[in-house]
Amino acid sequence: MTSTEIPSTMRAMVLESPGTSLQLKTLPIPMPQQAQVLIKIIACGVCRTDLHIVDQELNAPKLPLILGHEIVGMVVKLGESVSDLKVGDLVGVPWLGYTCGKCKYCLRHQENLCENAKFTGYTLDGGYAEYTVAYARYCFPISAEYANASGAPLLCAGLIGYRSYSMLPSHAEHIGFYGFGAAAHILVQLANYQNKKVYAFTRAGDKAAQSFALQMGAVWAGSSEEQAPVKLDAAILFAAVGSLVPKALRDVDKGGTVICGGIHMSDIPSFPYSILWEERSIQSVANLTREDGQHFLALAAEAHIHTHTIPYNLEEANEALGALRKGKFEGAAVLVM
């Protein structure tokens, strides 16, 4: 596609103010500035973080805002100084949209904690649209295999899940996943590939999610109210439920690690020191680094990870968010342009 073939307007689902439904708008096509590229969007995943923004649990969004940070698309125009991408390249755009490279965190290789970071679909317009711009250095080249709806969940559910997973000790063999949705259904495949055993905990009575977890490779699935069938070496909390922290601590063995993989979580209730003692630990996860993306996307191809997606049209974004809020599907919702 050349610049002369790029239309002058696009459709986008826009959040005008938190707590309201997204509005279908016709907007001018954004033009890439220096170091940016214009991307024609193929698909964009619908993430629980998007719900946190709409529901005002993440309360500093750019407004008006185009949500979406699990973007798969094709580069159609280059901004000045872009040399590492070309028109026609297939790319993925994640949550981390920009870092300064100068703050103390960037200088010690913790760009996920950058003091001046910008985030796709939060402080930068995202992928609930037909086109978007992104900083070229924060785009990941992707293969044709994932240049469709199936690739979108890898860009956040996969990446943040992988950052959580990579924090587990290498010896961990028995791993608990608390909440089994978009991220867990990807990471269980990686765990299986590495000969680890996953125990899936879901909401009480959610037999569909438990069946889905077993189908995707978990060795056990049950209610988060149940005791783990074995002492776990580690646990990842994908569900944003603070009361699961002490539950997971009770389930992990001595020296076990509990990873909190969400950007937002309800309050953690008080718990006795005895369940933290014996060198158990709790670790949160913030954002991702570009290195995470490079490692994970290579592993995803190597392990032949596939995603279970539920497609929605762009104008059905509100319906997709509503279904996600109510837990009406297994896997990941994706807007397909």
Side-chain angles (χ1 to χ4, degrees):
M1 176 178 287
T2 66
S3 59
T4 57
E5 295 174 309
I6 298 170
S8 59
T9 61
M10 67 178 187
R11 297 183 310 145
M13 293 296 289
V14 180
L15 178 67
E16 297 283 357
S17 60
T20 64
S21 297
L22 309 186
Q23 301 297 312
L24 180 62
K25 302 275 188 177
T26 299
L27 302 173
I29 296 285
M31 286 297 104
Q33 303 303 306
Q34 184 169 354
Q36 292 182 325
V37 293
L38 176 65
I39 297 166
K40 179 177 174 60
I41 298 173
I42 296 169
C44 181
V46 178
C47 178
R48 187 159 295 277
T49 300
D50 301 334
L51 277 180
H52 293 322
I53 296 168
V54 171
D55 294 344
Q56 305 176 69
E57 292 163 336
L58 294 177
N59 57 12
K62 162 193 175 298
L63 290 174
L65 173 68
I66 300 173
L67 290 165
H69 56 274
E70 299 181 337
I71 302 169
V72 171
M74 177 185 291
V75 174
V76 294
K77 188 176 178 63
L78 306 179
E80 187 181 348
S81 81
V82 174
S83 59
D84 47 351
L85 291 175
K86 62 183 185 300
V87 170
D89 281 353
L90 298 170
V91 295
V93 182
W95 171 251
L96 185 68
Y98 170 86
T99 58
C100 70
K102 299 176 182 178
C103 71
K104 63 181 181 181
Y105 299 107
C106 286
L107 293 176
R108 63 192 192 202
H109 306 292
Q110 292 178 297
E111 68 177 8
N112 59 306
L113 303 178
C114 174
E115 293 178 323
N116 304 296
K118 297 178 182 179
F119 301 105
T120 310
Y122 185 47
T123 53
L124 298 168
D125 279 329
Y128 286 20
E130 293 173 322
Y131 290 81
T132 194
V133 293
Y135 287 93
R137 292 177 59 236
Y138 298 82
C139 296
F140 297 120
I142 59 171
S143 66
E145 176 186 3
Y146 290 128
N148 49 57
S150 72
L154 300 179
L155 274 301
C156 182
L159 284 176
I160 299 299
Y162 173 71
R163 184 167 181 84
S164 303
Y165 182 84
S166 65
M167 289 181 174
L168 301 178
S170 59
H171 67 262
E173 179 184 357
H174 300 279
I175 304 167
F177 283 4
Y178 294 75
F180 201 90
H185 97 285
I186 293 171
L187 270 298
V188 70
Q189 297 175 65
L190 180 56
N192 287 342
Y193 178 70
Q194 296 179 339
N195 297 313
K196 298 178 184 294
K197 297 177 175 63
V198 169
Y199 302 79
F201 297 82
T202 73
R203 285 176 293 190
D206 194 345
K207 298 298 184 183
Q210 292 164 21
S211 176
F212 181 55
L214 294 171
Q215 174 190 332
M216 296 304 297
V219 299
W220 176 91
S223 164
S224 59
E225 297 175 0
E226 295 179 56
Q227 183 177 345
V230 299
K231 273 295 186 182
L232 303 175
D233 300 313
I236 303 175
L237 272 59
F238 293 114
V241 181
S243 61
L244 290 176
V245 172
K247 169 60 168 63
L249 284 172
R250 289 186 173 94
D251 285 339
V252 297
D253 206 350
K254 293 183 287 186
T257 300
V258 175
I259 305 295
C260 301
I263 193 171
H264 171 83
M265 179 179 281
S266 60
D267 288 349
I268 300 170
S270 62
F271 55 84
Y273 177 68
S274 60
I275 65 172
L276 180 62
W277 187 57
E278 295 177 315
E279 299 194 353
R280 295 173 180 86
S281 63
I282 305 169
Q283 172 76 54
S284 70
V285 171
N287 313 315
L288 70 145
T289 68
R290 286 170 286 176
E291 187 176 18
D292 293 329
Q294 293 157 4
H295 287 172
F296 173 67
L297 292 173
L299 268 174
E302 182 182 312
H304 301 291
I305 287 175
H306 64 278
T307 59
H308 182 76
T309 60
I310 298 86
Y312 288 84
N313 295 323
L314 173 63
E315 60 271 21
E316 297 174 317
N318 288 310
E319 288 85 343
L321 287 167
L324 176 61
R325 180 182 282 109
K326 294 176 182 176
K328 286 190 172 181
F329 53 76
E330 284 73 53
V334 179
L335 303 181
V336 180
M337 309 314 160

